[in-house]
Amino acid sequence: MTEEIINRPGLQGVIAAQTSLSRVDGLAGELIISGYRIDDIAPNAIYEELLYLLWNDRLPNASELATLQSDLSGLRALPDVAIEALKKAAKQKLSGMDALRMAAGLLSLQADSADAQSSSLVLVAAFPTIVAAYWRLLKGEEIVEPNPALSHSANYLYMLNGEEPSDEQIRAMDTYLNTVIDHGFNASTFTARTIISTNSDVISAVVGAIGALKGPLHGGAPGPALDMVFEIGKAENSEAYLREKLQAGDRLMGFGHRVYKVRDPRADVLNLAAKEFFTDGDQIELYNLARHVEKDAIRLLEEHKPGRKLETNVEFYTALVLHGVGLQTDLFTPTFAVSRVGGWTAHALEHLREGRLIRPLAEYTGESAREWQSIEKR
Ligand code: ACO
């Protein structure tokens, strides 16, 4: 029997495996995480609850949540060699994502790679420590040790800033981390699943996924999205600025999506979370400007690619909520990774249970009848 061969560049529209972790409905603009609508669960749960949900397919009770929190807080410290690597990376001013990828690989030193579940715990627990430590090293500041009394989100903000965050900041960070924890077979998750599908280990899968997330077409968009709003500066500059970008063939960061043909549902969840922080003069102005830029961008993208339905994606509002919480743009993509590592590990665990080797085909477009010539004759 010959196999049917389907040629879909970029694997668009191809189902490569089954998952019960998240369902993305690109036409309805709906995201379900293990049965829960994103707008229902993200603003209410804390990150550890979503993590438990993805790992166990149900929400934890109070004692299960307390156990997970204590397991995570016991694993936040990094191996010394990871701190050394971060110091060297900071001297060379590497990007936060490069530093995260380097240090994440070194977590093999404190995880049993044969134990996928405990490796997953080590990864999720250590990601905030890596990102925060690197951020402080880059700024020439002392690393802040993790505080075991604080929740995952609160401790992340504490390690970044050296002071305990407000309840509003913690709530917004939990909402953000929950909103982007998982999203079907996006490029980084697919990378993780491809790696684990060879029966490799979870740390390898996550290190590969970090590399995929870094790119501006995936997780690298929110920093440039906010920079764009700052560059525009005033509502009256918006249309001309955006037109010029599109005419130059640039993409508008924070707009368009492979799957969503309507507004990304995560954008609304993050918009609500962001609003809390934009309360005084300058901040309200920035928020209103961002909304204005968003409207112009959607209108101009429709002119630019009629019928493509290029709408706002999660990254535009990621930029606003993380800016509101007080994070600088260089931290946006690493903070995305602090969340998505929960999804990557859940997918790796799911694939180890029931997945198949992922091995698509390539369409060969090269020559077929060349003859070998020795080096003297070339
Ligand atoms: N600005 C301008 N043009 C765009 C944009 C955009 N934001 N998005 C898509 N287009 C254009 C493309 O240039 C392409 O034009 P073409 O047909 O002339 O080649 C057409 O619309 C279709 O775009 P594709 O790149 O084929 O769409 P794809 O599904 O592969 O890409 C993507 C989706 C990468 C997100 C794209 O919309 C994009 O580059 N957006 C900007 C970057 C961004 O916001 N990334 C974050 C995505 S969300 C996430 O990963 C968490």
Side-chain angles (χ1 to χ4, degrees), residues 9-10 12 180 183 186-188 213 215-222 225 245-246 249-261 264 266 301 304-305 308 310-316 318 336 340:
Q12 180 157 8
V180 300
H183 201 242
N186 58 85
S188 58
L213 186 72
L217 299 191
H218 187 10
K245 277 225 160 224
L246 290 172
D250 291 348
R251 293 186 181 208
L252 304 183
M253 293 293 140
F255 298 91
H257 198 274
R258 172 63 68 81
V259 182
Y260 291 120
K261 300 303 167 207
D264 184 331
R266 299 169 297 176
L301 283 167
H304 179 64
K305 295 278 163 201
R308 283 269 192 181
L310 298 170
E311 283 275 346
T312 320
N313 67 44
V314 67
E315 301 290 46
F316 193 77
T318 290
F336 190 171
R340 189 54 66 82

Side-chain angles (χ1 to χ4, degrees), residues 141-378:
E141 291 171 354
E142 288 288 312
I143 291 173
V144 175
E145 294 301 322
N147 179 343
L150 298 179
S151 73
H152 198 69
S153 287
N155 176 60
Y156 177 46
L157 289 165
Y158 168 71
M159 290 188 298
L160 283 172
N161 301 322
E163 55 192 48
E164 287 202 23
S166 67
D167 289 347
E168 292 74 26
Q169 285 174 310
I170 300 169
R171 181 59 262 165
M173 182 54 74
D174 272 315
T175 300
Y176 169 70
L177 296 180
N178 291 343
T179 302
V180 300
I181 192 169
D182 195 44
H183 201 242
F185 268 27
N186 58 85
S188 58
T189 300
F190 185 64
T191 304
R193 280 192 86 130
T194 303
I195 293 172
I196 205 76
S197 84
T198 67
N199 277 349
S200 178
D201 67 287
V202 182
I203 292 184
S204 299
V206 164
V207 170
I210 296 169
L213 186 72
K214 175 185 165 189
L217 299 191
H218 187 10
L226 189 64
D227 291 342
M228 178 175 82
V229 175
F230 281 132
E231 271 172 45
I232 289 172
K234 285 187 184 139
E236 56 265 35
N237 300 341
S238 158
E239 179 165 348
Y241 176 100
L242 297 170
R243 272 195 196 286
E244 200 179 309
K245 277 225 160 224
L246 290 172
Q247 271 156 13
D250 291 348
R251 293 186 181 208
L252 304 183
M253 293 293 140
F255 298 91
H257 198 274
R258 172 63 68 81
V259 182
Y260 291 120
K261 300 303 167 207
V262 292
R263 191 177 160 83
D264 184 331
R266 299 169 297 176
D268 290 328
V269 178
L270 295 184
N271 179 26
L272 283 180
K275 260 186 170 170
E276 294 254 333
F277 293 98
F278 293 86
T279 46
D280 57 8
D282 285 358
Q283 293 290 59
I284 292 176
E285 237 175 71
L286 177 68
Y287 179 80
N288 289 339
L289 174 63
R291 296 298 300 239
H292 183 93
V293 170
E294 180 189 15
K295 282 199 190 104
D296 278 355
I298 294 171
R299 183 167 47 80
L300 295 180
L301 283 167
E302 180 54 30
E303 270 179 31
H304 179 64
K305 295 278 163 201
R308 283 269 192 181
K309 301 209 180 301
L310 298 170
E311 283 275 346
T312 320
N313 67 44
V314 67
E315 301 290 46
F316 193 77
Y317 281 96
T318 290
L320 285 184
V321 78
L322 293 185
H323 177 78
V325 172
L327 269 56
Q328 292 183 22
T329 49
D330 288 349
L331 274 169
F332 291 177
T333 309
T335 302
F336 190 171
V338 164
S339 162
R340 189 54 66 82
V341 66
W344 293 332
T345 53
H347 276 272
L349 295 169
E350 184 180 56
H351 206 96
L352 284 172
R353 283 194 305 274
E354 55 205 53
R356 221 183 142 205
L357 173 70
I358 296 175
R359 203 304 185 194
L361 302 173
E363 183 182 14
Y364 179 64
T365 58
E367 298 286 336
S368 294
R370 285 178 169 156
E371 279 183 20
W372 168 253
Q373 285 191 320
S374 63
I375 198 154
E376 302 78 39
K377 291 189 184 158
R378 279 177 240 157

